[in-house]
Amino acid sequence: MRCQRLLYNNLVLGGLFLSACLFMGLAATAADGDPIRVDFSGSLVGRPCNIAQNSLSQDVEFGNVPAKAFLNDGTTRPFFFGLNLTDCKPESGGVSVTFGSGANADANVQDAFALNGNGSVALRLAYQESEGQVVILTPGSVGPSHRIDATAVHLPFQASLVTADASKVNSGEFNLSLTATFEYD
């Protein structure tokens, strides 16, 4: 009985194998001489620069910030960071950066990003222009254009903690993750 079952299983498997081979042979012969369709697709990207590896993911570490660190205007000292572009085509226009979206706006502090974990402070981002002038970046708004004048471009930014009322700053951890979107002129 066991031999018959093995023989039967081998015949069934052999028949399936033979059927598959015949089907593939028929499919191949049916396509001989017949036209086939080949689809091509992709996306042309017109950006004049690439984002440097060291700018793809960044951590801006504030460390421990004492409540007394808030200056008279409710702002801490700036923490500097930058985004680097490489392989740029000089004289190809300018680049602007947008951080986050309007949904990231803090409800209590104008032109600031709401932080996770501590509602008494917010994050303010600014772009530092070459003349030393600082431009506050509003959540979700396009920042000022930076001229692409070299093959490598450094975009300098600064981040500060801000509060509407320094006397109400609470102790606790805070964090925020933002996306940066580049637009080329």
Side-chain angles (χ1 to χ4, degrees), residues 81-93:
F81 70 101
L83 300 176
N84 297 305
L85 303 176
T86 61
D87 307 320
C88 296
K89 297 174 189 162
E91 307 304 324
S92 58

Side-chain angles (χ1 to χ4, degrees), residues 148-167:
I148 299 172
D149 56 4
T151 57
V153 175
H154 175 74
L155 303 171
F157 295 96
Q158 58 187 43
S160 302
L161 295 177
V162 294
T163 184
D165 185 351
S167 68

Side-chain angles (χ1 to χ4, degrees), residues 108-124:
N108 300 313
V109 182
Q110 185 177 358
D111 298 332
F113 296 83
L115 291 169
N116 299 318
N118 193 326
S120 66
V121 295
L123 179 77
R124 180 164 288 148

Side-chain angles (χ1 to χ4, degrees), residues 71-141:
L71 306 173
N72 294 336
D73 64 352
T75 305
T76 63
R77 72 171 179 82
F79 292 79
F80 298 96
F81 70 101
L83 300 176
N84 297 305
L85 303 176
T86 61
D87 307 320
C88 296
K89 297 174 189 162
E91 307 304 324
S92 58
V95 60
S96 302
V97 181
T98 302
F99 285 96
S101 70
N104 298 115
D106 188 80
N108 300 313
V109 182
Q110 185 177 358
D111 298 332
F113 296 83
L115 291 169
N116 299 318
N118 193 326
S120 66
V121 295
L123 179 77
R124 180 164 288 148
L125 293 178
Y127 174 74
Q128 190 168 348
E129 294 186 325
S130 59
E131 303 85 34
Q133 187 177 9
V134 174
V135 178
I136 304 296
L137 302 176
T138 304
S141 296

Side-chain angles (χ1 to χ4, degrees), residues 7-58:
L7 181 61
Y8 175 77
N9 286 344
N10 285 339
L11 286 174
V12 169
L13 288 175
L16 288 173
F17 179 74
L18 184 59
S19 297
C21 289
L22 285 173
F23 175 74
M24 287 190 308
L26 289 175
T29 55
D32 287 346
D34 291 340
I36 62 167
R37 189 174 112 189
V38 178
D39 295 322
F40 298 91
S41 64
S43 179
L44 293 174
V45 180
R47 66 176 180 249
C49 300
N50 291 316
I51 301 168
Q53 282 296 117
N54 65 353
S55 292
L56 291 176
S57 179
Q58 289 193 43

